Amino acid sequence: MHVPDGFINAPTSAATGVVAAAAVAVSLRGARRELDERTAPLAGLVAAFIFAVQMLNFPVAAGTSGHLLGGALAAILVGPCTGVLCVSVVLLMQGILFADGGLTALGVNITDMAIVTTVVSYAVFRLLVKVLPRGRRSVTVASFAAALLSVPAAAVAFTLIYAVGGTTDVSLGKVATAMIGVHVLIGLGEAVITALTVGAVIAVRPDLVHGARGLRQRLKLRVNGALVDVPAPDGARTAPVAARTSRRALWITGLATSLVLAGFVSFYASSSPDGLEKVAHDKGIDQKARRHTSADSPLADYGVKDVEDARLSGGLAGVIGVGVTVVAGSAVFWVVRRRRTPDVSPTSTSAV
C-alpha cells in the first residue's frame, strides 16, 4: 500500500499533504490525553513493532503478497490519536531511509495508511465492544473485525485518491475491483496479526491497552480452597484486571521480538509484489512512476549497501530500522507526554 512517487499528480499529493499535516497536528493534541508515563514507552515500541512486521510480506494469492498496515493495531493498543502518530513515524522512516513509499507521496501514504485505517478500525472496534460482552475475548474479537475492515477501507481510499489525481488513464472500475479484491485477502492476515498481538498484550498487561480500558473482573473469595465470585447485586463489586508482568519486561520482550522479526524472520518473507504493486503493474497505474529520491540511500530496499550476503544485508537493515523507529517514536511520545497539561487526565486510566 506504499504509494510511490508519480502515481498521484502534484496538486492531489499536495492536498493530501495538507490533510495529513492537519491530522498529525490534531493527533499530537489528542495523544496528550491518551499517553501517560506508563503508556508513552509502549507507543514507541508499537511503532517499532509495526515497522518490523511490515517487513514480513505473506502470500495472499498467486504472485501477490501483503503485509501489516498497522493502523488498527496501534489504535487499539495506544489510542487512535497516538496510533496515527505511530504509523506516521513508521512511514516517515521508511520513506527517508529505505526508499519505501515516495516522499512526494508521503501525504497520500499517511492519509491512506495512518489516518483511514486508524479511524475506520477504531470506529468499528468501539462499536463492537459496546455490543459484545465486556471481556478479554470480546476485545480480541473486536480487534480482529476492526483490522479486517481497515485494509479494504484503505484500498477504497486509495482508489478515490487515484480517481481525483491519478497520472494514468486507467478504468476506475477495474482499479477499484482489483484493489478491494486483493486487499480483502490481505485484511485477513492483518486481522490475525492484530488479534494475536492485542490478545497477547491483554493477557499480561490489560491496563496498558487503550482499547481495554475499563476492562474489569469480578472480585473473588477463596471458599474451601476454591475461588468463587463475590456476590454483586448492584454490579459494583469489580476490580481492574491484574497485570501479570512488569512494564519493563513487556517493553524488553516487545523490542526483542521486533528485532528478531526484522533481523531474522524477514529473510523468509514472500518476495512477491504486494497488493498495490501487483495491481499497479497489471492495470498500468505505474506507467509514470518515478525513481525514489532516496534510491541511493545506504538502506534502500531494506538492505545495507556494500554488504554482499543478502541475509546479512536484510537482517542488518531490519535491525537498524527497528532501532531508529523505536528511538524516533519514543522521542516523539516523550515530548507529547511532557507537554500534557496537569488538568488533562489520560483516558487510558479514566476507568480505574
Side-chain angles (χ1 to χ4, degrees), residues 50-63:
I50 290 174
F51 176 91
V53 180
Q54 282 195 3
M55 294 183 66
L56 308 180
N57 281 46
F58 48 84
V60 294

Side-chain angles (χ1 to χ4, degrees), residues 189-250:
E190 178 106 7
V192 171
I193 295 170
T194 300
L196 290 175
T197 305
V198 171
V201 179
I202 287 180
V204 294
R205 286 304 300 255
D207 58 311
L208 297 182
V209 178
H210 182 89
R213 65 179 188 267
L215 184 63
R216 308 175 81 83
Q217 62 187 5
R218 295 290 297 274
L219 295 177
K220 294 180 180 293
L221 293 176
R222 187 174 295 278
V223 179
N224 297 326
L227 290 176
V228 297
D229 289 334
V230 173
D234 58 357
R237 297 300 300 275
T238 58
V241 179
R244 296 185 179 181
T245 188
S246 68
R247 282 180 288 157
R248 177 177 296 182
L250 175 64

Side-chain angles (χ1 to χ4, degrees), residues 2 10-11 25 30 49 63 77 81 99 114 137 149 211 226 228 231 269 282 297 301 330:
H2 292 76
F49 183 78
L77 287 180
C81 292
R137 183 173 298 177
L149 293 176
V228 297
D282 290 347
S297 166
D301 297 323
S330 297

